[in-house]
Amino acid sequence: MREKVIAWLKENVSEHRLQHILGVEKMCEDLAIHHKIDPKKAAQAGLMHDLAKFFPPPKLLEMAKKEYNEIDPVCLANPHLLHADVSAIVARDTFNITDEDILNAIRHHTLGNPEMSDLSCLVFIADALEPNRGNTPELEKMRKISYKNLHKSVQKTCEYSLQYLIKNSKTIHPRAILTRNWALHQVKARS
Ligand SMILES: [Fe+2]
Ligand SMILES: [Fe+2]
């Protein structure tokens, strides 16, 4: 299965993106072992999280519209955000993934989702923090948090992404804020 997915990725994403994907796969597996989450499921979700990363916007919109009755206006204006949902569609339809926890982890890797599972938290975090993302002191600090507290790590990852979006005048999807507030609440409730 892994070889089949990698062969498909080699045809459909850049070499640079493939390295990122393999970095996410490895970090998902490492974090899963550490947090006692199924490492096989985590690695599979990591390997398949960006399947649709290079699909052109019309294809993303077409596939998402076929799957969902409605596409929210932010995604309609920024179809690239749909690559997470469409990657889950490809994982299901091309690679026969039926495990909803894996499919949700793929779906939620960009914006997160309030109430997301620990597996989804892992993929969300690893997507932002895998080693190819860089070695700034801020990222290193966030990597340490990812091994200590999953929800705190989601909160910090959200805040890091939101700051990037504001600094670069990019659209913020409201779900990214809902995810951050949910993670913050989880941290407070569990401490
Ligand atoms: Fe992605
Ligand atoms: Fe990614």
Side-chain angles (χ1 to χ4, degrees):
M1 165 68 114
R2 185 173 183 269
E3 281 65 37
K4 210 174 131 197
V5 177
I6 290 175
W8 189 96
L9 284 166
K10 282 185 176 163
E11 297 291 320
N12 288 279
V13 304
S14 66
E15 176 56 32
H16 180 75
R17 181 57 41 175
L18 180 59
Q19 291 314 310
H20 158 72
I21 288 168
L22 296 175
V24 173
E25 180 195 30
K26 173 82 170 68
M27 188 167 177
C28 281
E29 193 175 21
D30 292 348
L31 274 173
I33 292 166
H34 182 81
H35 289 291
K36 299 188 171 56
I37 296 163
D38 186 335
K40 215 176 145 218
K41 276 167 70 161
Q44 271 200 339
L47 185 65
M48 290 192 236
H49 83 282
D50 264 345
L51 290 168
K53 182 77 182 177
F54 283 79
F55 284 12
K59 186 172 179 178
L60 291 172
L61 279 168
E62 189 196 317
M63 289 179 72
K65 278 179 181 166
K66 225 168 135 188
E67 181 81 6
Y68 304 108
N69 291 329
E70 233 181 301
I71 310 291
D72 72 66
V74 180
C75 286
L76 275 179
N78 304 275
H80 183 68
L81 287 171
L82 293 167
H83 83 271
D85 288 280
V86 175
S87 292
I89 297 173
V90 178
R92 184 192 64 203
D93 295 352
T94 304
F95 298 106
N96 302 316
I97 301 295
T98 51
D99 187 315
E100 272 302 314
D101 203 16
I102 294 179
L103 294 174
N104 278 330
I106 298 171
R107 269 179 207 122
H108 298 151
H109 84 262
T110 308
L111 300 173
N113 204 49
E115 310 298 336
M116 65 181 171
S117 72
D118 287 351
L119 187 74
S120 287
C121 288
L122 277 193
V123 181
F124 181 79
I125 293 163
D127 184 42
L129 303 183
E130 61 92 11
N132 295 294
R133 292 296 199 188
N135 287 309
T136 62
E138 194 179 8
L139 282 168
E140 291 297 347
K141 200 173 160 197
M142 288 165 69
R143 285 178 185 125
K144 280 191 186 128
I145 295 171
S146 74
Y147 281 88
K148 286 187 185 141
N149 184 326
L150 266 189
H151 292 107
K152 180 130 194 142
S153 183
V154 172
Q155 180 206 330
K156 293 291 173 193
T157 301
C158 288
E159 289 169 4
Y160 180 79
S161 313
L162 289 169
Q163 276 161 10
Y164 167 84
L165 293 170
I166 290 166
K167 214 168 131 189
N168 292 282
S169 299
K170 291 186 183 285
T171 308
I172 294 173
H173 193 289
R175 184 146 54 90
I177 297 169
L178 295 178
T179 302
R180 184 267 180 184
N181 287 349
W182 167 76
L184 177 70
H185 180 78
Q186 292 300 307
V187 173
K188 286 184 176 168
R190 289 164 193 240
S191 65

